[in-house]
Amino acid sequence: MNGTAHVAIGAATGFIVANQFSSTPTETLVLVGLGGVSGLMPDLDVDGKLRNRITFSHKVIQSVAQLIGLLMIIYSIYEGSAANQYSGVGIGAVMLILSSLIKQKHMLMITGIGVVAGGIFLQEAWLILLGVFILVASYVSHRSYTHSILGVIFFGFIASKLEISLGMNGVYYACLIGYISHLIADSKLLPVNKRGIKLFLPVSSKEW
Ligand SMILES: [Zn+2]
Protein backbone atom coordinates (compact mmCIF):
# COMPACT_ATOMS: atom_id res chain seq x y z
CA MET A 1 0.00 0.00 0.00
CA ASN A 2 1.38 3.43 -0.86
CA GLY A 3 1.82 6.45 1.43
CA THR A 4 -1.24 8.30 0.17
CA ALA A 5 -3.54 5.35 0.95
CA HIS A 6 -2.05 5.00 4.45
CA VAL A 7 -2.58 8.73 5.12
CA ALA A 8 -6.18 8.52 3.88
CA ILE A 9 -7.02 5.52 6.10
CA GLY A 10 -5.31 7.13 9.11
CA ALA A 11 -7.19 10.41 8.54
CA ALA A 12 -10.47 8.50 8.35
CA THR A 13 -9.78 6.81 11.71
CA GLY A 14 -9.01 10.27 13.16
CA PHE A 15 -12.39 11.47 11.93
CA ILE A 16 -14.18 8.51 13.55
CA VAL A 17 -12.39 9.17 16.86
CA ALA A 18 -13.39 12.86 16.67
CA ASN A 19 -17.03 11.81 16.28
CA GLN A 20 -16.78 9.47 19.26
CA PHE A 21 -15.46 12.33 21.44
CA SER A 22 -17.95 14.90 20.03
CA SER A 23 -14.96 17.12 19.16
CA THR A 24 -15.29 20.74 18.04
CA PRO A 25 -14.56 21.47 14.34
CA THR A 26 -11.02 22.66 15.21
CA GLU A 27 -10.35 19.58 17.34
CA THR A 28 -11.71 17.39 14.55
CA LEU A 29 -9.22 18.96 12.13
CA VAL A 30 -6.34 18.29 14.55
CA LEU A 31 -7.44 14.67 15.13
CA VAL A 32 -7.85 14.01 11.39
CA GLY A 33 -4.35 15.46 10.80
CA LEU A 34 -2.81 13.42 13.61
CA GLY A 35 -4.53 10.26 12.38
CA GLY A 36 -3.15 10.86 8.88
CA VAL A 37 0.41 11.47 10.09
CA SER A 38 0.23 8.46 12.44
CA GLY A 39 -0.92 6.32 9.52
CA LEU A 40 2.36 7.12 7.78
CA MET A 41 4.71 6.70 10.75
CA PRO A 42 5.46 2.92 10.46
CA ASP A 43 6.94 3.48 6.99
CA LEU A 44 9.68 5.79 8.33
CA ASP A 45 11.70 2.55 8.29
CA VAL A 46 12.22 2.45 4.53
CA ASP A 47 15.69 3.01 3.10
CA GLY A 48 16.72 6.19 1.29
CA LYS A 49 15.78 5.02 -2.19
CA LEU A 50 12.37 3.64 -1.25
CA ARG A 51 11.69 6.58 1.04
CA ASN A 52 11.84 8.91 -1.94
CA ARG A 53 9.04 7.08 -3.69
CA ILE A 54 6.78 6.13 -0.81
CA THR A 55 6.81 8.87 1.74
CA PHE A 56 9.01 11.93 2.04
CA SER A 57 11.41 13.24 -0.56
CA HIS A 58 14.97 14.15 0.40
CA LYS A 59 14.22 17.84 -0.11
CA VAL A 60 11.22 17.77 2.26
CA ILE A 61 13.13 16.02 5.05
CA GLN A 62 16.08 18.38 4.53
CA SER A 63 13.80 21.43 4.69
CA VAL A 64 12.14 20.16 7.88
CA ALA A 65 15.53 19.58 9.52
CA GLN A 66 16.68 23.07 8.51
CA LEU A 67 13.43 24.63 9.72
CA ILE A 68 13.75 22.91 13.13
CA GLY A 69 17.33 24.20 13.37
CA LEU A 70 16.32 27.74 12.43
CA LEU A 71 13.35 27.78 14.84
CA MET A 72 15.59 26.55 17.63
CA ILE A 73 18.04 29.41 17.04
CA ILE A 74 15.26 32.04 16.98
CA TYR A 75 13.51 30.55 20.02
CA SER A 76 16.80 30.40 21.96
CA ILE A 77 17.65 34.03 21.26
CA TYR A 78 14.24 35.37 22.28
CA GLU A 79 13.07 32.96 24.98
CA GLY A 80 16.14 31.22 26.37
CA SER A 81 17.81 32.12 29.65
CA ALA A 82 21.51 33.02 29.46
CA ALA A 83 22.63 29.43 30.09
CA ASN A 84 20.53 27.57 27.52
CA GLN A 85 20.65 30.43 25.00
CA TYR A 86 24.09 29.30 23.84
CA SER A 87 23.28 25.59 23.80
CA GLY A 88 20.03 26.24 21.90
CA VAL A 89 21.74 28.38 19.28
CA GLY A 90 24.54 25.80 19.09
CA ILE A 91 22.20 22.83 18.53
CA GLY A 92 20.24 24.84 15.95
CA ALA A 93 23.38 25.89 14.06
CA VAL A 94 24.73 22.32 14.02
CA MET A 95 21.39 21.05 12.65
CA LEU A 96 21.37 23.72 9.94
CA ILE A 97 24.92 22.93 8.83
CA LEU A 98 24.60 19.13 9.05
CA SER A 99 21.29 18.99 7.19
CA SER A 100 22.87 21.01 4.37
CA LEU A 101 25.91 18.72 4.12
CA ILE A 102 24.73 15.22 4.97
CA LYS A 103 23.76 12.75 2.28
CA GLN A 104 20.19 11.59 1.81
CA LYS A 105 20.92 8.26 3.48
CA HIS A 106 21.53 9.90 6.83
CA MET A 107 18.89 12.61 6.60
CA LEU A 108 16.31 10.77 8.69
CA MET A 109 18.88 10.00 11.38
CA ILE A 110 19.85 13.69 11.55
CA THR A 111 16.17 14.64 11.77
CA GLY A 112 15.73 12.16 14.65
CA ILE A 113 18.68 13.61 16.56
CA GLY A 114 17.35 17.12 15.95
CA VAL A 115 13.88 16.20 17.20
CA VAL A 116 15.38 14.63 20.37
CA ALA A 117 17.47 17.78 20.95
CA GLY A 118 14.44 19.99 20.32
CA GLY A 119 12.37 17.90 22.76
CA ILE A 120 15.02 18.16 25.48
CA PHE A 121 15.33 21.89 24.87
CA LEU A 122 11.56 22.52 24.92
CA GLN A 123 11.12 19.96 27.75
CA GLU A 124 8.46 18.04 25.82
CA ALA A 125 8.52 14.29 26.60
CA TRP A 126 6.52 13.32 23.50
CA LEU A 127 8.97 15.17 21.22
CA ILE A 128 11.98 13.41 22.78
CA LEU A 129 10.25 10.02 22.37
CA LEU A 130 9.26 10.85 18.78
CA GLY A 131 12.90 11.67 18.00
CA VAL A 132 13.91 8.29 19.46
CA PHE A 133 11.24 6.61 17.30
CA ILE A 134 12.59 8.32 14.13
CA LEU A 135 16.16 7.35 15.09
CA VAL A 136 15.25 3.69 15.66
CA ALA A 137 13.15 3.62 12.47
CA SER A 138 16.10 4.92 10.44
CA TYR A 139 18.16 1.89 11.59
CA VAL A 140 15.78 -1.08 11.47
CA SER A 141 14.87 -2.89 8.25
CA HIS A 142 11.63 -2.22 6.39
CA ARG A 143 8.46 -3.84 7.77
CA SER A 144 10.18 -5.02 10.94
CA TYR A 145 9.96 -3.39 14.38
CA THR A 146 7.87 -0.36 13.40
CA HIS A 147 5.31 -2.85 12.02
CA SER A 148 5.14 -4.92 15.24
CA ILE A 149 3.26 -4.87 18.54
CA LEU A 150 6.42 -3.45 20.13
CA GLY A 151 6.18 -0.52 17.70
CA VAL A 152 2.49 -0.01 18.54
CA ILE A 153 3.24 0.08 22.29
CA PHE A 154 6.08 2.58 21.83
CA PHE A 155 4.03 4.83 19.54
CA GLY A 156 1.07 4.59 21.93
CA PHE A 157 3.35 5.84 24.70
CA ILE A 158 4.31 8.86 22.54
CA ALA A 159 0.61 9.49 21.81
CA SER A 160 -0.33 9.42 25.51
CA LYS A 161 2.35 12.03 26.27
CA LEU A 162 1.15 14.16 23.32
CA GLU A 163 -2.46 14.06 24.59
CA ILE A 164 -1.32 15.33 27.99
CA SER A 165 0.77 18.07 26.36
CA LEU A 166 -2.05 19.25 24.04
CA GLY A 167 -4.76 18.75 26.67
CA MET A 168 -7.17 17.51 24.02
CA ASN A 169 -9.44 14.46 24.27
CA GLY A 170 -9.09 11.88 21.50
CA VAL A 171 -5.44 12.60 20.62
CA TYR A 172 -4.25 9.31 22.09
CA TYR A 173 -6.83 7.23 20.23
CA ALA A 174 -6.51 9.14 16.93
CA CYS A 175 -2.72 8.55 16.90
CA LEU A 176 -2.86 4.96 18.17
CA ILE A 177 -5.67 3.76 15.88
CA GLY A 178 -4.14 5.67 12.93
CA TYR A 179 -0.89 3.76 13.53
CA ILE A 180 -2.65 0.41 13.94
CA SER A 181 -4.62 1.04 10.71
CA HIS A 182 -1.28 1.05 8.84
CA LEU A 183 -0.35 -2.36 10.27
CA ILE A 184 -3.73 -3.84 9.34
CA ALA A 185 -3.42 -2.42 5.80
CA ASP A 186 0.04 -4.05 5.47
CA SER A 187 -0.99 -7.41 6.97
CA LYS A 188 -2.10 -10.65 5.37
CA LEU A 189 -5.62 -9.87 6.58
CA LEU A 190 -5.89 -8.23 3.16
CA PRO A 191 -5.66 -10.93 0.50
CA VAL A 192 -3.76 -8.54 -1.83
CA ASN A 193 -0.76 -8.55 0.54
CA LYS A 194 1.54 -11.47 -0.29
CA ARG A 195 3.98 -10.34 2.40
CA GLY A 196 2.63 -9.78 5.89
CA ILE A 197 4.08 -8.04 8.92
CA LYS A 198 6.27 -9.56 11.64
CA LEU A 199 3.85 -8.70 14.42
CA PHE A 200 5.62 -10.50 17.28
CA LEU A 201 9.22 -9.37 16.80
CA PRO A 202 11.65 -10.10 18.39
CA VAL A 203 9.95 -13.26 19.75
CA SER A 204 8.82 -14.60 16.37
CA SER A 205 9.54 -13.68 12.73
CA LYS A 206 6.32 -15.24 11.45
CA GLU A 207 4.51 -12.93 9.04
CA TRP A 208 0.87 -12.12 9.73
ZN1 LIG B 1 4.17 -0.19 5.98
Coordinates of all heavy atoms in Angstrom, one line a residue, residues 1 6 42-43 45 142-143 147 182 186 197, ligand 1:
M1 N 0.9 -1.2 0.0 CA 0.0 0.0 0.0 C 0.9 1.2 0.0 O 1.9 1.3 0.7 CB -0.9 0.0 1.2 CG -2.0 0.9 1.1 SD -3.4 0.5 2.2 CE -4.0 -1.1 1.4
H6 N -2.2 5.1 3.0 CA -2.0 5.0 4.5 C -2.5 6.3 5.1 O -3.1 6.3 6.2 CB -0.6 4.7 4.8 CG -0.2 3.3 4.6 ND1 -0.8 2.3 5.2 CD2 0.8 2.7 3.9 CE1 -0.3 1.1 4.9 NE2 0.8 1.4 4.1
P42 N 4.7 4.2 10.5 CA 5.5 2.9 10.5 C 6.4 2.8 9.3 O 7.4 2.2 9.3 CB 4.3 1.9 10.3 CG 3.2 2.5 11.0 CD 3.3 4.0 10.6
D43 N 6.1 3.6 8.2 CA 6.9 3.5 7.0 C 8.2 4.4 7.0 O 8.9 4.6 6.0 CB 6.1 3.8 5.7 CG 5.4 2.5 5.2 OD1 5.7 1.4 5.7 OD2 4.6 2.6 4.3
D45 N 10.6 3.5 8.2 CA 11.7 2.5 8.3 C 12.2 2.2 6.9 O 13.1 1.3 6.8 CB 11.2 1.3 9.0 CG 10.1 0.6 8.3 OD1 9.6 1.1 7.2 OD2 9.6 -0.4 8.8
H142 N 13.0 -2.5 6.7 CA 11.6 -2.2 6.4 C 10.7 -3.3 6.8 O 11.0 -4.5 6.7 CB 11.5 -2.0 4.9 CG 10.2 -1.5 4.4 ND1 9.4 -0.6 5.1 CD2 9.4 -1.9 3.3 CE1 8.3 -0.4 4.5 NE2 8.3 -1.2 3.4
R143 N 9.5 -2.9 7.3 CA 8.5 -3.8 7.8 C 9.0 -4.8 8.9 O 8.6 -5.9 8.9 CB 7.9 -4.7 6.6 CG 7.0 -3.9 5.7 CD 6.5 -4.8 4.6 NE 5.4 -4.2 3.9 CZ 4.3 -4.8 3.6 NH1 4.0 -6.0 4.1 NH2 3.4 -4.2 2.9
H147 N 6.5 -2.2 12.4 CA 5.3 -2.8 12.0 C 5.0 -4.0 13.0 O 4.4 -5.0 12.6 CB 5.4 -3.4 10.6 CG 5.5 -2.3 9.5 ND1 6.4 -1.4 9.5 CD2 4.6 -2.1 8.5 CE1 6.2 -0.6 8.4 NE2 5.1 -1.0 7.8
H182 N -2.4 1.3 9.8 CA -1.3 1.1 8.8 C -0.9 -0.4 8.9 O -0.7 -1.1 7.8 CB -0.1 1.9 9.2 CG 1.1 1.8 8.3 ND1 1.5 2.8 7.4 CD2 1.9 0.7 8.0 CE1 2.5 2.4 6.7 NE2 2.8 1.1 7.0
D186 N -1.1 -3.3 6.0 CA 0.0 -4.0 5.5 C 0.0 -5.5 5.7 O 0.9 -6.3 5.3 CB 1.3 -3.5 6.1 CG 1.9 -2.3 5.4 OD1 1.3 -1.9 4.4 OD2 2.9 -1.7 5.9
I197 N 3.2 -8.8 8.0 CA 4.1 -8.0 8.9 C 4.5 -8.9 10.1 O 3.8 -9.8 10.5 CB 3.4 -6.8 9.5 CG1 2.0 -7.2 10.1 CG2 3.2 -5.7 8.4 CD1 1.4 -6.1 10.9
Ligands
ZN1 ZN 4.2 -0.2 6.0

